[in-house]
């Protein structure tokens, strides 16, 4: 979906933004002992001195969190040190709504695309392939259509962060529009990989609305332009396309001010989104809430005391915290610790009830219209067959 992921894979293989898979990094930390770490630190200092970029630890690493744990993050927020929080989200925040992510083994989209007979799983989101054969994308779009799902606890937690005056911006890789459905204002959202909200004709660039697109997707037809008959594509960013300009302009303004970064439900494998973690200032704490560690720094770079990416496990770390588990549980736990737990539970309950009610009303409005339409449709087919 994101243009640069493909480039990244071509140059750096299957690994994450930082060039090392989380599996490799977490395995090394599992078996690490304090003796190993001491030896590693000695080698790091030796190499750093020889290469001429040695700095004393105290100069290099100001202490940011008293405690690199969830409690350290909560304390940091409660002390009022966080006024420009940025959240970065991936497909993992929507899996509990029933939308599969890309890479989770078994349930991820990439493991379930056989029926589309694609040259490779990513082809379904490639602009070149889409121009030749748009049908598989629209079949999948019907299955995953926004509007058929309810936002999760995590989406409502992000809304609460905003209502509490902490959120500067929410950056999402998701195209499911669930942040909007959850009630987060549009100006607070950066949809880095675009959105289903609007669509454009690939040929004459005519714009179409969500309802126009929805009608065609659910009628199982490839949407074509009313003016020039070109294929119309939702404004989501395919591999081979540029990210929206709003992404770049917001990053420039937001990240230098970021004073807490929370990454939710992402493997941090897609560029340039993944590298945003390095745009936050050095003194900004970063919390990852995900089922697995992601975005970690290259081991060699850790050894040299250099490089970018998350650094959860080194003894010098005073800013990066990984909370491993489901986003909804992580967000509810954070809300509980901040004293907003009941407010979040109430918000989710009320909003889900409202969405269910609206869907019911919409369905009951449609039914009489459909039964009115049927004899007409039947008449048409009868006359054609005669
Ligand atoms: P990804 O690479 O599939 O990674 C998802 C990450 O979330 C993995 O690390 C999972 O372990 C983790 N995860 C899955 N479920 C949960 C959960 N309930 N709680 C915590 N962690 C969980 O997806 P990314 O977003 O990192 O990759 C970016 C791609 C995916 C973008 O181009 C998106 O447009 C694209 N995508 C979006 C959607 C959507 O809009 N909902 C769905 C599928 C793919």
């Amino acid at each position: 979906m994101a243009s640069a992921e493909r480039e990244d894979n071509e140059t750096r293989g299957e690994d994450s933004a930082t060039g090392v898979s989380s599996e490799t990094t977490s395995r090394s930390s599992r078996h690490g002992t304090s003796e190993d770490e001491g030896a590693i630190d000695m080698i790091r200092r030796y190499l750093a001195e020889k290469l001429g970029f040695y700095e004393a630890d105290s100069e290099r690493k100001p202490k940011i969190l008293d405690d690199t744990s969830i409690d350290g993050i909560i304390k940091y927020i409660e002390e009022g040190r966080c006024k420009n929080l940025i959240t970065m989200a991936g497909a993992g925040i929507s899996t509990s709504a029933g939308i599969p992510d890309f890479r989770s083994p078994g349930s991820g989209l990439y493991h379930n695309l056989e029926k589309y007979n694609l040259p490779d799983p990513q082809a379904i989101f490639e602009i070149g392939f889409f121009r030749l054969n748009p049908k598989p994308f629209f079949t999948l779009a019907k299955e995953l259509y926004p509007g058929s799902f309810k936002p999760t606890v995590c989406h409502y937690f992000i809304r609460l962060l905003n209502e509490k005056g902490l959120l500067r911006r929410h950056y999402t890789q998701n195209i499911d529009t669930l942040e909007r459905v959850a009630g987060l204002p549009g100006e607070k959202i950066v949809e880095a990989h675009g959105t289903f909200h609007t669509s454009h004709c690939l040929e004459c660039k005519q714009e179409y609305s969500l309802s126009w697109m929805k009608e065609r997707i659910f009628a199982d037809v490839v949407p074509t332009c009313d003016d020039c008959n070109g294929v119309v594509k939702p404004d989501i960013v395919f591999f081979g396309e540029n990210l929206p300009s709003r992404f770049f302009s917001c990053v420039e303004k937001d990240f230098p001010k970021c004073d807490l970064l929370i990454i939710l439900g992402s493997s941090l494998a897609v560029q340039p989104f993944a590298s945003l973690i390095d745009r936050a200032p050095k003194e900004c704490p970063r919390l990852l809430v995900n089922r697995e560690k992601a975005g970690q720094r290259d081991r060699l770079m850790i050894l040299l005391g250099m490089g970018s990416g998350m650094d959860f496990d080194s003894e010098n770390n005073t800013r990066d915290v990984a909370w491993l588990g489901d986003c909804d549980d992580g967000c509810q736990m954070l809300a509980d610790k901040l004293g907003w737990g009941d407010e979040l539970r109430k918000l989710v309950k009320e909003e889900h009830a409202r969405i269910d009610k609206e869907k019911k009303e919409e369905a009951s409005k449609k039914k009489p219209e459909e039964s009115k339409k049927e004899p007409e449709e039947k008449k048409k087919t009868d006359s054609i067959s005669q």
Side-chain angles (χ1 to χ4, degrees), residues 110-217:
Y110 284 167
H111 297 264
N112 293 292
L113 291 171
E114 290 92 359
K115 62 183 169 191
Y116 298 106
N117 210 7
L118 302 164
D120 69 83
Q122 286 187 25
I124 202 157
F125 299 116
E126 245 167 44
I127 191 66
F129 182 80
F130 179 84
R131 284 181 186 276
L132 293 173
N133 182 9
K135 188 79 190 142
F137 169 77
F138 285 112
T139 312
L140 181 68
K142 186 177 175 185
E143 263 181 61
L144 301 179
Y145 193 78
S148 318
F149 303 95
K150 280 187 280 206
T152 66
V153 172
C154 178
H155 290 96
Y156 291 110
F157 175 69
I158 299 164
R159 170 172 156 181
L160 265 195
L161 288 174
N162 187 45
E163 288 174 0
K164 301 288 176 188
L166 300 178
L167 188 73
R168 180 171 180 95
R169 204 89 66 183
H170 173 67
Y171 285 74
T172 184
Q173 298 171 93
N174 296 344
I175 49 163
D176 54 32
T177 69
L178 286 184
E179 289 94 347
R180 288 173 189 265
V181 181
L184 194 62
E187 79 268 10
K188 287 285 174 168
I189 309 171
V190 174
E191 284 152 330
H193 296 166
T195 170
F196 265 89
H197 213 59
T198 50
S199 299
H200 282 86
C201 168
L202 286 181
E203 307 306 326
C204 74
K205 313 293 174 216
Q206 173 68 35
E207 184 169 311
Y208 289 92
S209 68
L210 183 65
S211 57
W212 184 95
M213 179 54 77
K214 182 177 181 182
E215 218 173 274
R216 277 139 192 95
I217 288 178

Side-chain angles (χ1 to χ4, degrees), residues 1-2 89-92 94-96 99-104 109 173-176 193 265-270 289-292 325-327:
M1 227 163 277
S94 295
T95 53
S96 67
I99 307 173
D101 63 8
F102 270 174
R103 294 177 183 79
S104 282
L109 269 180
Q173 298 171 93
N174 296 344
I175 49 163
D176 54 32
H193 296 166
S266 177
S267 63
L268 291 176
V270 179
V289 177
N290 202 43
R291 281 187 186 153
E292 58 190 351
D326 280 6
C327 287

Side-chain angles (χ1 to χ4, degrees), residues 279-296:
R279 301 293 293 265
K282 293 239 172 323
E283 63 281 6
C284 168
R286 301 180 296 192
L287 167 65
L288 172 79
V289 177
N290 202 43
R291 281 187 186 153
E292 58 190 351
K293 284 184 183 168
Q296 288 179 109

Side-chain angles (χ1 to χ4, degrees), residues 231-245:
V231 174
V232 180
K233 179 180 102 30
D235 292 343
I236 61 171
V237 181
F238 275 39
F239 297 121
E241 292 188 305
N242 286 330
L243 270 66
S245 56

Side-chain angles (χ1 to χ4, degrees), residues 373-384 386:
K373 253 192 216 162
E374 255 167 38
E376 275 296 306
E377 299 268 300
K378 194 162 186 306
K379 242 191 269 164
K380 248 192 234 164
T381 16
D382 287 350
S383 61
I384 291 166
Q386 271 163 17

